[in-house]
Amino acid sequence: MNIVILSRNANLYSTDRIIEEAENKGHHVEVIDPLKCDIIIEREKPTIYYKNKYLDYVDAVIPRIGASVTFYGCAVVRQFEMMNVFTTATSDAILNSRDKLKSLQRLSKKGIGMPKTVFTNYTRDAREVLQHVGGAPVIIKLLEGTQGLGVVLAETKSAAESVLEAFNGLQARVIIQEFIKEAKGADIRALIVDGQVVGAMKRQGKEGEFRSNLHRGGSANIIKLNEAELKLAMRSAEVLKLPVCGVDMLQSERGPLLLEVNSTPGLEGIEQATGKNIAKSIISYIERNVNK
């Protein structure tokens, strides 16, 4: 089988692991920079041109597209879809997951529990917005933020008002969420492959840090999800039509609460924390869905 990983960095841990497991199964793997692809739109034979060759021999695509190149990266994924190439994440699913507001609206409509959340269009009445989520402390997130960037914990009403006024002045769109105190700076990442949880870890932020992202100094340990957490993770992936994804949630007094769904989750932290071979699971999922 010919497998393409769409990524701008061929040296990442996740990419290396996927290549390793694919080659162990006898497959041929290429890492292709989506920004260097030419999309050729034709009715009879849509195709993609990359480094002096047509990519008309590809059987499956694994998108590992960074948020900064979402538009063109998804255009490349969409072109592969037009060529009837199997993909572990469709272009529409990636776009929907990257739009934080849209994804939260869809998930909420399907009954997925999440922290109280407010989106406002540059309102000048910060006090009223804070009341909607129960007052300070609150989490304020840039809609375009990733990996913990653009996320602020405002511990007091005056601090929250100042942050909101600053973002409004920059015309930066944000969402405001209630702070789940009982989570104690920790969250859960569940890795979904083929709609099932194949690994889960609890990430704990370092002392004094409310964000649990591992690259920000957090730690991770394997965790066994309870029935409610399993259901939330799998249902969230199903709603956003992402058979391979990472689902982040908080443990709260009212049950698990969804934070976000990541269409291109990293494998390093969860493989090391759980000892599970996630990369192999992804290759096996492709094998089950592609005619060899």
Side-chain angles (χ1 to χ4, degrees):
M1 190 188 310
N2 293 309
I3 299 174
V4 159
I5 301 174
L6 288 177
S7 174
R8 301 210 68 207
N9 188 345
N11 298 315
L12 296 176
Y13 174 94
S14 300
T15 303
D16 282 343
R17 287 287 297 118
I18 292 171
I19 292 172
E20 180 183 10
E21 293 302 329
E23 291 180 343
N24 285 344
K25 292 287 197 76
H27 305 303
H28 177 257
V29 188
E30 289 180 83
V31 179
I32 287 177
D33 183 347
L35 296 190
K36 295 181 180 178
C37 291
D38 294 332
I39 297 172
I40 301 173
I41 302 172
E42 292 181 345
R43 183 178 66 179
E44 298 296 330
K45 191 180 180 181
T47 188
I48 296 171
Y49 192 70
Y50 178 78
K51 289 188 175 180
N52 301 316
K53 63 180 179 181
Y54 294 99
L55 302 181
D56 53 6
Y57 53 87
V58 179
D59 299 303
V61 171
I62 303 173
R64 304 287 308 174
I65 298 167
S68 63
V69 297
T70 296
F71 176 80
Y72 198 80
C74 283
V76 174
V77 175
R78 190 179 305 113
Q79 188 74 358
F80 275 117
E81 292 169 30
M82 293 173 62
M83 296 160 59
N84 296 316
V85 174
F86 178 78
T87 176
T88 57
T90 67
S91 55
D92 284 345
I94 296 171
L95 287 169
N96 287 335
S97 69
R98 292 280 166 84
D99 186 329
K100 290 182 182 179
L101 179 60
K102 185 177 182 179
S103 64
L104 289 177
Q105 288 174 314
R106 289 190 172 196
L107 290 160
S108 177
K109 183 178 180 181
K110 296 298 183 178
I112 304 295
M114 60 188 66
K116 293 178 184 177
T117 302
V118 173
F119 172 73
T120 182
N121 192 39
Y122 312 136
T123 181
R124 294 185 179 276
D125 194 346
R127 293 183 181 181
E128 185 176 280
V129 172
L130 293 175
Q131 289 176 358
H132 290 315
V133 295
V138 294
I139 301 294
I140 302 172
K141 299 179 180 180
L142 283 172
L143 279 181
E144 293 80 17
T146 61
Q147 295 184 322
L149 299 174
V151 181
V152 177
L153 168 61
E155 299 192 58
T156 66
K157 183 175 73 172
S158 60
E161 290 175 355
S162 296
V163 172
L164 285 174
E165 288 170 2
F167 279 139
N168 287 343
L170 296 170
Q171 292 194 328
R173 296 183 184 275
V174 298
I175 56 176
I176 302 94
Q177 290 187 321
E178 67 171 316
F179 177 63
I180 307 301
K181 183 178 180 180
E182 59 268 29
K184 298 179 180 178
D187 70 9
I188 293 173
R189 161 67 62 90
L191 212 299
I192 305 287
V193 177
D194 202 6
Q196 301 297 312
V197 174
V198 295
M201 63 179 174
K202 186 170 185 177
R203 303 182 297 188
Q204 180 68 55
K206 65 180 181 181
E207 187 174 353
E209 174 62 72
F210 72 95
R211 291 165 293 188
S212 59
N213 306 74
L214 299 184
H215 76 282
R216 305 192 72 87
S219 59
N221 294 289
I222 188 171
I223 185 174
K224 183 177 181 180
L225 302 185
N226 61 35
E227 185 176 347
E229 291 161 349
L230 284 168
K231 183 177 179 181
L232 182 146
M234 292 187 291
R235 180 59 175 152
S236 299
E238 179 185 20
V239 169
L240 294 184
K241 299 180 180 179
L242 285 168
V244 178
C245 63
V247 179
D248 296 342
M249 55 188 135
L250 295 174
Q251 293 176 312
S252 79
E253 293 174 349
R254 59 182 189 267
L257 301 175
L258 179 78
L259 285 176
E260 65 177 340
V261 180
N262 190 324
S263 59
T264 55
L267 304 185
E268 184 173 9
I270 196 157
E271 284 199 337
Q272 292 180 353
T274 65
K276 300 289 183 66
N277 193 333
I278 308 296
K280 183 178 180 180
S281 296
I282 294 172
I283 298 303
S284 296
Y285 166 61
I286 293 173
E287 290 175 333
R288 291 193 295 271
N289 286 273
V290 177
N291 293 323
K292 291 181 274 186

